[in-house]
Amino acid sequence: MKFFVDTAEIDAIAELNELGIVDGVTTNPSLIKKSGRDILEVTKEIADLVDGPVSAEVVATEAGAMIAEGRKLATIAENIAIKLPLTWDGLKACKALSAEGHMINVTLCFSANQALLAAKAGATFISPFIGRLDDINLDGMQLIADIRQIYDNYGFETEILAASIRTVNHVTEAARIGADIMTAPPEVIRKLAQHPLTDKGLEQFLKDAEAAGIKIV
Ligand code: G3P
């Protein structure tokens, strides 16, 4: 499973990138707002930092304007994936921009039928939002499973990018189902390393090491 980081915070991306666990980055207008940075500047910095795809989202809503914005975003760097919302116009822009050879991340996906349309329109990535479905008492993970089955049934190459991940359990479940990629905030990715028994075990080992006078260097 590939790991994307869902943030526009450069320091957090750099720290995770040093561990070699960052396969890409996703941003959206809310994350750009949170960073307080200019979209073109911060996206360029991120794209220079990581080797994998960096999603940058359009803000137009009409297909022609989305295509113009997408082309502009794609000039930032070679590893830009143009992020388009899953609307009818977004699908038109997806078809046109993917035909030009751009990577496309179709976002705000909340149903299997939407994911089917995105794949047929040439999306590189589909972003089903797990957490936001869970927020309204629907089953975000079932959506990932449905899309996996449908894409496998027909051999669609669009990669399933599990998004709106809020918990470590979302990561485990998305991996079990076979999502190609997950994107999560840096805090959730750091939590993947935590386990109370690891902390407890280490505490005991350190006590015993001290008692035994173990010194290595
Ligand atoms: O990748 C999409 C993600 O940013 C949405 O997450 O937590 O705002 O639903 P959230």
Side-chain angles (χ1 to χ4, degrees):
M1 183 190 233
K2 284 179 270 187
F3 275 23
F4 287 3
V5 192
D6 199 25
T7 187
E9 306 294 334
I10 296 286
D11 290 351
I13 297 166
E15 190 204 342
L16 294 169
N17 199 36
E18 273 176 27
L19 279 181
I21 60 171
V22 176
D23 300 302
V25 173
T26 48
T27 67
N28 61 38
S30 305
L31 294 171
I32 297 292
K33 177 175 173 246
K34 197 170 162 199
S35 78
R37 304 274 311 273
D38 171 76
I39 182 171
L40 299 178
E41 270 177 33
V42 74
T43 306
K44 168 90 180 117
E45 234 175 280
I46 297 169
D48 286 347
L49 193 61
V50 305
D51 292 332
V54 174
S55 291
E57 188 160 343
V58 303
V59 290
T61 55
E62 181 275 321
M66 285 172 156
I67 292 167
E69 286 187 359
R71 286 181 183 143
K72 172 91 183 271
L73 291 171
T75 64
I76 295 173
E78 282 198 354
N79 53 338
I80 294 297
I82 302 163
K83 210 172 182 190
L84 300 165
L86 212 158
T87 59
W88 204 250
D89 279 69
L91 291 170
K92 285 184 192 169
C94 175
K95 181 70 187 159
L97 290 166
S98 65
E100 291 175 10
H102 299 297
M103 285 188 285
I104 309 295
N105 178 357
V106 176
T107 190
L108 289 167
C109 171
F110 294 97
S111 80
N113 285 336
Q114 288 182 318
L116 187 50
L117 282 172
K120 290 181 74 67
T124 317
F125 308 107
I126 183 69
S127 291
F129 275 29
I130 299 170
R132 292 191 194 187
L133 282 168
D134 290 357
D135 285 346
I136 57 163
N137 281 334
L138 293 174
D139 189 348
M141 213 47 73
Q142 185 57 48
L143 175 59
I144 302 291
D146 290 345
I147 299 172
R148 179 74 283 155
Q149 185 182 349
I150 290 166
Y151 280 10
D152 289 350
N153 282 349
Y154 299 101
F156 285 117
E157 287 178 6
T158 301
E159 291 190 80
I160 301 174
L161 199 177
S164 185
I165 285 198
R166 309 266 176 76
T167 69
V168 292
N169 289 342
H170 279 156
V171 178
T172 313
E173 284 306 307
R176 280 164 56 91
I177 291 166
D180 300 287
I181 310 160
M182 72 93 194
T183 189
E187 314 81 72
V188 173
I189 295 177
R190 280 193 213 100
K191 272 192 199 152
L192 294 173
Q194 292 173 5
H195 198 287
L197 290 180
T198 302
D199 297 340
K200 195 174 167 209
L202 181 60
E203 199 184 321
Q204 187 62 48
F205 286 160
L206 293 179
K207 266 190 202 151
D208 290 345
E210 200 183 339
I214 295 172
K215 204 165 188 291
I216 297 170
V217 286

